[in-house]
Amino acid sequence: MNRPLFRLWLLFVGALVLSACDEKIVYKGAVCGDGRVEGAESCDDGNLEDGDGCSRFCRTEVAESCDNGVDDDENGWIDCLDPVCVGDPACDGEICGNGLDDDDDGLTDCEDGDCLHHVSCRRPEDCVNGLDDDGNGATDCDDASCLSHPACGACDPTDAATAAVGDAFTLPRNDDTVVRPVPCWASADPTWVFRLELAAPAGLVVALDGDAGFLFLSREENPGRTCGLDTLTCVHPPHSGELWVPLLPPGAYRLVAPAGQPVSVTLVEPVYELCDNGFDDDNDGLVDCDDPDCAAAPVCQPEVCDNDLDDDGDGLADCDDPDCQAACAPPENCGNGLDDDLDGRVDCQDFDCAGDAACAGSACVIHFDFGTLDRGALATAPWSTVDTPNAQLASCGGAGPDFTAAFTLASPSNVLLHFTQSGSHSVTLATEAGPGTGCGAGELACAPSPGLHLPGTWSFASLPAARYFLTVDAVTTDATGLGTLELQVAGPLDEWCGNGLDDNGDGLADCADPACADLSICRGETRCRDGLDDDGDGWIDCADVQCMATTSCVTGDCLVDRPLGALAVGHPLSAWVDLAAGARSFALPCALAGARPGAVLSFSLPAPARVRLRLLPEDFSDPAAALAIPAGPGTSCLDAVHLCTGVPAPGIAATVETGELPAGGPYYVVVGAYADPAIGRVQVILNAL
């Protein structure tokens, strides 16, 4: 449940407790397109069309003037960059940033010498080439963006001890101490840093003389080239005054400890994961076969249930192995009330029973019928829960109004479902479950809401020929909204556009195959400054990762308070943020209205990855955070928000995951208070998955 909905629910429950009246309370915000001007709407002409004087966002439309330096029509394009200004006399010559060769000289945008000094063509500052690359009047180390570059005196200390297994050090080795921010220690006490380099894997044992103090261990992202650090561990106080890290890969490391306190560092034999003892031997949070180190171990191989071999080395082969219990079970009997095939599904809630005579018939009331869909079909339909009743409760969450669409498969098929939404909804796939049964009686799958306003894509393999129901269910009574349902139906030899495979054998998979060109998720965000969600994935322009690093979505004017460095798998990043101490204020889209103090963190991805963002509030603090992408020249930190989340309630942790994000950066994490009073701290933890 998202934050505003959770708070309204608390108010609703409180009203029931305190009042003896049987009064229904309804919360309903402004709805663009209903013909009534409400809330922040400046107009409402009863539709969601652009170009008729009132936009689909219920903002009054103004014609673009092509020579006044103002985005008159508020579509994200100014003057000659706006498509409506093509051919205007004020727009002769090369227009920098529109993706066109306007002056027909064979060169486009930043490739054209006419755009050499245009703001959209400026490059990040290279700190060692003697040039003013970003055009701000400062060169190399005189540029503020180079303050953290090694060539400009950063990254102290630079001396390092070359270490290997068997080496031991008594510290501190250096006398100079400074006050450094340490994630797990909020004091202004002086610290010292010990730097070591490993040419081969080793284990690390660090012991403090006594239990007081803290230990902070990090790995240098790119020694000698950047000052970025990846946090490995930060403990206060360390257990029994000792920090043990079973396995450190080759690289350069920094150990920060309290100044003046004796510390011993010993390099020991590394501990690798043992794959069958039930312990996390290498202390990486993964046990036995869940650890990638065990991928090739015999005990972690799946048992193949029909080859007369003991594949997993447990002394049992095929159906004698408990791992094969489900594979060796009999087929599902669709009318006996038992889970015959041991797949966790009984009778009409088993995929095997879709279309079976024992499950024929239903009393499900539908709002839209796609009809019969043959293999190769691509069908789209709008949906809305704004004015529908609350007819069912989805098993994965959905206490609000719901909308049900039906479709019938003419033959066994693979089905891809793409879903966009405003509000927050779960999606259920069900089939008929017999005369008189409701829409959810034959539930086959239920997907929780992907998040507030976020889209979702799901695939269902080898669905039998049968009638099916798709139910979109608002997670609470005030989480209603609208969106689209898009279905692709594919046969076994057709390209199925969401499984990562080349199904039709033409050497191209999914969206790379022309057969998928008409699917919205494959069209791509075609124009990154047109104010439209071109690919129907729920993100517009620079907030869509497909636009990242294009000329329209380069780094703007976002000032970062704390660069966290590169986020790689197995190397999480962490930072503490004081919700009351931000020098600047931000209005987070998922927080209550109004600007509040905040801080901007940044990170980069060396390789494509999903990112898990965790908020761990201290005491009763109430944080929110937005993950944003650069939105182009002159833009701020929150102009391209990819997702935004808050904790469920003050003092309770929150976790959210992204889809796969492209390599590169910077990515911004803007952290602030959800509501007043802006007090306390929150720990932000990022993991690459």
Side-chain angles (χ1 to χ4, degrees):
M1 182 184 299
N2 65 49
R3 290 295 308 281
L5 307 182
F6 184 89
R7 293 173 182 273
L8 290 178
W9 179 80
L10 289 177
L11 292 172
F12 178 69
V13 172
L16 292 179
V17 173
L18 297 175
S19 174
C21 299
D22 184 17
E23 181 179 354
K24 183 177 181 181
I25 301 174
V26 177
Y27 298 95
K28 187 173 182 181
V31 177
C32 183
D34 63 358
R36 299 190 298 271
V37 178
E38 303 169 297
E41 297 176 346
S42 60
C43 64
D44 195 323
D45 57 359
N47 64 54
L48 298 177
E49 302 293 331
D50 290 326
D52 59 359
C54 184
S55 76
R56 60 194 175 99
F57 302 111
C58 285
R59 301 289 299 276
T60 302
E61 294 177 319
V62 179
E64 180 73 15
S65 174
C66 299
D67 58 359
N68 64 352
V70 177
D71 181 15
D72 305 282
D73 55 9
E74 298 183 345
N75 68 349
W77 296 85
I78 296 176
D79 293 353
C80 296
L81 292 177
D82 196 312
V84 303
C85 291
V86 174
D88 190 280
C91 299
D92 290 337
E94 185 68 16
I95 301 170
C96 308
N98 66 351
L100 303 175
D101 178 17
D102 307 279
D103 55 7
D104 294 322
D105 63 354
L107 301 173
T108 301
D109 294 347
C110 296
E111 297 174 355
D112 195 308
D114 297 340
C115 295
L116 181 61
H117 299 291
H118 193 271
V119 64
S120 67
C121 299
R122 293 173 181 168
R123 300 171 298 168
E125 186 70 18
D126 183 332
C127 301
V128 294
N129 66 351
L131 302 176
D132 177 18
D133 305 279
D134 56 8
N136 66 352
T139 301
D140 293 352
C141 294
D142 293 331
D143 195 303
S145 64
C146 292
L147 293 178
S148 61
H149 195 278
C152 301
C155 301
D156 294 331
T158 57
D159 60 317
T162 301
V165 172
D167 289 341
F169 305 91
T170 300
L171 306 170
R173 294 166 54 91
N174 54 338
D175 296 327
D176 55 310
T177 60
V178 297
V179 175
R180 293 179 176 84
V182 177
C184 61
W185 185 245
S187 156
D189 296 339
T191 65
W192 58 263
V193 177
F194 174 60
R195 183 169 179 257
L196 60 91
E197 292 183 354
L198 295 178
L204 180 73
V205 178
V206 184
L208 284 169
D209 185 9
D211 292 341
F214 63 88
L215 291 172
F216 171 57
L217 180 67
S218 62
R219 182 179 182 179
E220 296 183 5
E221 296 169 3
N222 200 345
R225 297 185 61 186
T226 71
C227 297
L229 299 175
D230 291 330
T231 298
L232 300 183
T233 186
C234 191
V235 290
H236 172 260
H239 179 66
S240 301
E242 182 177 276
L243 169 67
W244 177 56
V245 182
L247 178 64
L248 289 178
Y253 297 87
R254 296 189 183 215
L255 178 69
V256 181
Q261 188 163 353
V263 176
S264 65
V265 177
T266 306
L267 279 299
V268 298
E269 289 289 344
V271 176
Y272 298 94
E273 185 72 13
L274 302 177
C275 302
D276 58 358
N277 64 352
F279 292 100
D280 178 17
D281 305 283
D282 57 5
N283 200 31
D284 64 355
L286 302 171
V287 176
D288 292 351
C289 295
D290 291 332
D291 195 310
D293 296 341
C294 294
V299 70
C300 298
Q301 303 307 307
E303 181 70 18
V304 179
C305 300
D306 58 358
N307 64 351
D308 295 323
L309 298 176
D310 176 20
D311 306 281
D312 57 6
D314 63 356
L316 300 171
D318 295 351
C319 292
D320 293 331
D321 194 314
D323 295 341
C324 292
Q325 186 179 33
C328 296
E332 184 73 12
N333 182 331
C334 298
N336 64 355
L338 301 175
D339 179 17
D340 306 281
D341 57 4
L342 303 179
D343 64 353
R345 299 181 173 278
V346 176
D347 293 351
C348 298
Q349 292 186 339
D350 193 308
F351 283 92
D352 297 335
C353 293
D356 190 277
C359 300
S362 173
C364 177
V365 177
I366 63 171
H367 302 91
F368 181 85
D369 197 333
F370 284 96
T372 299
L373 301 178
D374 295 306
R375 292 173 177 175
L378 180 62
T380 303
W383 61 267
S384 173
T385 56
V386 174
D387 296 312
T388 56
N390 184 5
Q392 74 174 67
L393 180 65
S395 66
C396 59
D402 44 71
F403 177 100
T404 299
F407 67 94
T408 302
L409 292 181
S411 58
S413 305
N414 299 323
V415 174
L416 181 143
L417 166 64
H418 180 60
F419 151 87
T420 63
Q421 64 169 334
S422 61
S424 186
H425 302 76
S426 61
V427 180
T428 301
L429 174 70
T431 188
E432 293 182 325
T437 57
C439 302
E443 181 182 300
L444 302 174
C446 190
S449 173
L452 184 65
H453 306 319
L454 297 183
T457 303
W458 301 279
S459 298
F460 305 99
S462 303
L463 290 183
R467 184 168 174 78
Y468 295 91
F469 307 114
L470 287 170
T471 299
V472 180
D473 199 355
V475 297
T476 64
T477 55
D478 52 359
T480 59
L482 47 86
T484 59
L485 292 169
E486 184 176 26
L487 292 172
Q488 183 211 7
V489 181
L493 299 180
D494 300 328
E495 187 63 26
W496 189 25
C497 300
N499 64 350
L501 302 175
D502 176 21
D503 306 282
N504 59 6
D506 64 353
L508 302 171
D510 293 350
C511 292
D513 195 309
C516 299
D518 292 333
L519 200 64
S520 65
I521 59 175
C522 294
R523 290 200 294 266
E525 192 71 8
T526 53
R527 297 184 68 91
C528 295
R529 289 295 294 274
D530 62 356
L532 303 176
D533 179 14
D534 305 289
D535 55 4
D537 64 357
W539 288 287
I540 295 175
D541 294 346
C542 296
D544 193 312
V545 294
Q546 295 188 34
C547 288
M548 187 173 178
T550 63
T551 55
S552 297
C553 303
V554 296
T555 303
D557 295 339
C558 177
L559 298 177
V560 176
D561 298 301
R562 199 176 315 167
L564 300 182
L567 177 64
V569 175
H571 295 279
L573 301 175
S574 173
W576 281 95
V577 174
D578 189 332
L579 299 178
R584 294 173 289 159
S585 296
F586 299 93
L588 296 175
C590 58
L592 293 182
R596 286 169 177 78
V600 182
L601 314 175
S602 69
F603 67 93
S604 61
L605 290 174
R610 293 183 295 118
V611 173
R612 176 183 295 149
L613 168 65
R614 297 199 68 201
L615 300 177
L616 301 179
E618 182 180 64
D619 299 328
F620 209 61
S621 64
D622 193 12
L627 175 65
I629 300 171
T635 57
S636 64
C637 304
L638 289 174
D639 283 348
V641 173
H642 188 69
L643 63 82
C644 192
T645 188
V647 298
I652 299 178
T655 301
V656 65
E657 291 184 7
T658 70
E660 185 174 87
L661 301 180
Y667 291 94
Y668 305 126
V669 180
V670 184
V671 186
Y674 175 81
D676 286 330
I679 58 174
R681 301 191 308 158
V682 60
Q683 186 178 18
V684 181
I685 301 176
L686 299 169
N687 282 275
L689 307 174

